[in-house]
């Protein structure tokens, strides 16, 4: 996702355990009989109660009901819904470029918060094994994406060793970031010609989303220390990222190059990641709701106030205003997590979207990685329509006027093609059986149904 990746990411997916429906516990067992166990052949149940009544004149209390079987843990479908909405908002932003979408719903903050909550849950296991699991789940989908995109760059004539923007020979070394994105994967700002099959800025659209994977990996590696700090000093750990953003995201302290971009991205969304810890540990529920909402609203108001005096080239696009992005996202995430209803099933009319929510959660990384390139591919497809035999000036003008709508209509089927072609790699990375379209629909045949499962450019 240039608003990228996602957290939040075969019957039970190992790295993404259920969000938080604990096993129901039964307390105790039926008390032992007052005079020992009944003799062999003695009446039990209702017959025994009738006999006891006839003998003593008083009714024996009924035997306690057998304890209920523990309920299986389930996924929190509210959090799944939030992740799906975040992905849709990211795609819409990259399609239409509407700056107000960054204010309407802070997708990247939500995704980092959900990933942080899952990370806190996973860190009940040894930290090294958790980090290894997260990295293993992330890298194979990236490798498949890089194999296609980097190959297209080379075939289009890009040579990183001769690209002055990539530092010459250093550009070849930086290609390693397509294998493990600790830094920024290199790509040319423009490639080809404006009249080529693909727009000459397609590389920036396709590879620009990889900033999210870099930030995600930084958070994964930092999480053991961040979680320890949060549990010792929760308020300090929550406030520190906002203060760091105020330092590095406003130009008060300037860190040059991609290192500066990476540090700024980390600072902007670290508060949301730590809010995921707070959600998992139940800290938000312990704060009086009116206090939490009031404080979150004040933080959000500050973010909008700051943005009003620091508008970027796209106006109210918060992606261009780091401090506003950090504070607005932080406040919104507090409210969204505070009111989390912990649905085991989507209620009411939302239930009709259950399969799409399940699919998007199972394929969150694939959707994020490929959606922007799919948007790029809609342009040459639409261009072909101008050459159809029945096209005249009037129809060409109508196609021009509805260009964005056609791009919107074509993007989703193309994203579906990416899911079919590359989504199964997420299953392999998670050590699950590969599936082409994991939307939770039950398979018919031999009386068995498939188990319901779910997972986890610039913003």
């Amino acid at each position: 996702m240039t608003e990228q990746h996602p957290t939040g990411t075969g019957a039970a997916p190992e790295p993404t355990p259920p969000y938080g429906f604990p096993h129901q516990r039964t307390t105790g067992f039926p008390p032992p009989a007052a005079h020992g166990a009944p003799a062999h052949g003695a009446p039990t149940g209702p017959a025994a109660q009738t006999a006891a009544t006839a003998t003593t004149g008083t009714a024996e209390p009924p035997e306690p009901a057998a304890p209920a079987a523990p309920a299986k843990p389930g996924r929190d479908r509210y959090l799944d819904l939030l992740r799906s909405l975040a992905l849709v908002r990211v795609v819409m932003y990259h399609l239409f470029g509407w700056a107000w979408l960054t204010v309407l719903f802070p997708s990247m903050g939500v995704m980092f918060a959900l990933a942080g909550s899952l990370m806190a849950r996973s860190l009940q296991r040894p930290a090294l094994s958790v980090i290894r699991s997260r990295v293993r789940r992330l890298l194979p989908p990236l490798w498949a994406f890089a194999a296609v995109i980097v190959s297209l760059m080379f075939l289009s004539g890009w040579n990183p060793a001769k690209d002055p923007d990539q530092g010459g020979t250093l550009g070849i070394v930086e290609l390693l970031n397509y294998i493990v994105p600790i830094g920024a994967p290199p790509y040319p700002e423009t490639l080809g010609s404006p009249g080529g099959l693909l727009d000459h800025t397609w590389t920036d659209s396709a590879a620009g989303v990889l900033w999210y994977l870099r930030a995600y990996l930084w958070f994964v590696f930092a999480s053991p220390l961040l979680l320890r700090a949060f549990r010792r000093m929760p308020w300090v750990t929550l406030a520190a990222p906002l203060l760091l953003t105020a330092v590095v995201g406003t130009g008060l302290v300037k860190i040059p190059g991609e290192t500066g971009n990476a540090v700024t991205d980390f600072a902007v969304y670290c508060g949301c990641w730590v809010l995921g810890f707070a959600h998992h540990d139940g800290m938000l529920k312990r704060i009086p709701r009116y206090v939490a909402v009031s404080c979150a609203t004040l933080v959000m108001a500050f973010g909008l106030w700051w943005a009003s005096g620091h508008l970027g080239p796209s106006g109210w696009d918060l992606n261009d205003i780091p401090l506003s992005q950090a504070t607005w996202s932080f406040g919104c995430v507090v409210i969204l997590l505070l009111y989390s209803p912990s649905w085991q099933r989507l209620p009411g009319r939302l239930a009709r979207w259950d399969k799409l929510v399940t699919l998007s959660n199972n394929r969150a990384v694939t959707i994020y990685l490929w959606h922007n390139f799919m948007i790029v591919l809609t342009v040459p497809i639409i261009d072909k329509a101008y050459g159809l035999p029945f096209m005249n000036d009037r129809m060409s003008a109508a196609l021009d006027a509805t260009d964005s709508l056609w791009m919107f209509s074509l993007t989703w089927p193309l994203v579906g093609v990416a899911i079919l072609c590359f989504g199964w790699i997420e299953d392999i990375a998670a050590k699950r059986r590969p599936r082409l379209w994991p939307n939770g629909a039950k398979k018919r045949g031999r009386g068995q149904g498939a188990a319901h499962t779910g997972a986890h450019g610039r913003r």
Side-chain angles (χ1 to χ4, degrees):
M1 314 160 196
T2 47
E3 289 199 291
Q4 270 105 257
H5 318 285
T7 319
T9 352
E14 167 263 324
T16 51
Y19 282 109
F21 290 100
H23 289 285
Q24 294 177 353
R25 298 183 180 181
T26 55
T27 56
F29 296 92
H35 300 290
H40 178 69
T44 59
Q49 183 177 347
T50 303
T53 303
T55 303
T56 64
T58 59
E60 292 290 332
E63 293 183 4
K72 293 182 179 179
R75 291 188 61 88
D76 189 328
R77 299 297 280 167
Y78 173 74
L79 300 186
D80 285 349
L81 179 64
L82 286 183
R83 184 181 288 105
S84 297
L85 289 175
L87 286 169
V88 170
R89 209 283 283 152
V90 166
V91 176
M92 296 291 287
Y93 174 81
H94 289 142
L95 266 169
F96 300 109
W98 295 329
W100 55 267
L101 285 173
T102 64
V103 179
L104 177 66
F105 192 78
S107 287
M108 304 316 298
V110 169
M111 293 173 68
F112 280 120
L114 299 182
S117 180
L118 284 175
M119 193 68 183
R121 183 185 182 92
S122 297
L123 282 172
Q124 297 172 10
R125 309 195 309 270
L128 187 59
S129 68
V130 174
I131 292 174
R132 188 186 305 118
S133 173
R134 286 291 185 270
V135 172
R136 186 193 71 234
R137 287 173 57 83
L138 183 68
L139 294 186
L142 169 64
W143 295 338
F145 176 79
V148 174
I149 299 302
V150 176
S151 296
L152 286 175
M153 292 180 190
F154 287 153
L155 290 173
S156 299
W158 180 54
N159 185 345
K162 297 181 180 180
D163 188 341
D165 295 331
Q166 304 302 329
T169 306
L170 183 61
I172 298 178
V173 177
E174 290 180 345
L175 287 173
L176 294 174
N177 285 307
Y178 282 104
I179 300 176
V180 181
I182 299 300
Y187 58 88
E189 294 293 330
T190 60
L191 189 63
S193 61
L197 179 64
L198 297 178
D199 185 85
H200 67 294
T201 62
W202 73 268
T203 52
D204 185 53
S205 298
V209 301
L210 297 180
W211 74 269
Y212 171 78
L213 275 68
R214 175 186 64 194
Y216 180 85
L217 277 186
W218 280 38
F219 285 128
V220 166
F221 292 139
S223 281
L225 291 177
L226 278 175
L227 184 59
R228 185 179 304 175
F230 169 75
R231 287 173 175 168
R232 290 185 178 181
M233 301 176 293
W235 296 109
V236 173
T237 311
L238 282 169
L242 300 180
L243 296 177
L244 179 60
T245 305
V247 173
V248 301
T250 62
L252 189 62
V253 172
K254 293 184 178 180
I255 303 176
E258 280 300 326
T259 301
N261 293 334
V263 172
T264 300
D265 289 337
F266 182 88
V268 167
Y269 296 107
C270 186
C272 294
W273 187 274
V274 177
L275 279 175
F277 296 167
H279 172 72
H280 172 267
D281 287 3
M283 174 185 171
L284 296 179
K285 298 295 186 182
R286 294 193 293 270
I287 304 172
R289 181 169 291 184
Y290 73 92
V291 173
V293 173
S294 298
C295 293
T297 302
L298 289 175
V299 172
M300 294 165 65
F302 170 81
L304 292 183
W305 171 79
W306 182 266
S308 67
H310 300 81
L311 298 180
S314 300
W316 284 86
D317 192 329
L318 299 187
N319 293 316
D320 299 329
I321 316 169
L323 184 56
S324 293
Q325 180 72 284
T327 50
W328 180 259
S329 297
F330 187 93
C332 286
V333 167
V334 167
I335 294 174
L336 288 171
L337 295 182
L338 188 66
Y339 282 88
S340 175
S342 296
W343 295 324
Q344 286 186 293
R345 295 182 179 179
L346 293 177
R349 295 182 178 180
L350 290 175
R352 71 182 65 178
W353 303 100
D354 182 81
K355 292 180 181 179
L356 288 178
V357 169
T358 299
L359 178 66
S360 63
N361 276 265
N362 273 309
R363 294 294 180 257
V365 176
T366 300
I367 294 171
Y368 183 80
L369 281 174
W370 288 97
H371 78 275
N372 232 19
F373 186 62
M374 296 299 109
I375 293 174
V376 170
L377 291 182
T378 64
V379 176
I381 294 174
I382 294 174
D383 286 345
K384 293 294 183 182
Y386 288 94
L388 294 174
F390 55 82
M391 292 295 290
N392 52 36
D393 292 342
R394 184 175 180 180
M395 295 188 68
S396 295
L399 186 57
D400 288 338
T402 57
D403 179 76
S404 295
L405 292 178
W406 284 109
M407 290 178 66
F408 175 81
S409 300
L410 289 170
T411 294
W412 298 108
L414 289 174
V415 168
V417 171
I419 290 173
L420 291 172
C421 292
F422 303 102
W424 55 271
I425 298 173
E426 291 194 56
D427 292 328
I428 299 295
K431 296 184 177 181
R432 293 192 298 253
R433 175 180 57 83
R435 299 159 296 169
L436 287 179
W437 198 256
N439 64 352
K442 293 184 177 181
K443 296 179 181 178
R444 295 181 179 179
R446 298 183 181 179
Q448 295 180 347
H452 172 80
T453 59
H456 151 24
R458 226 169 192 12
R459 326 166 202 353

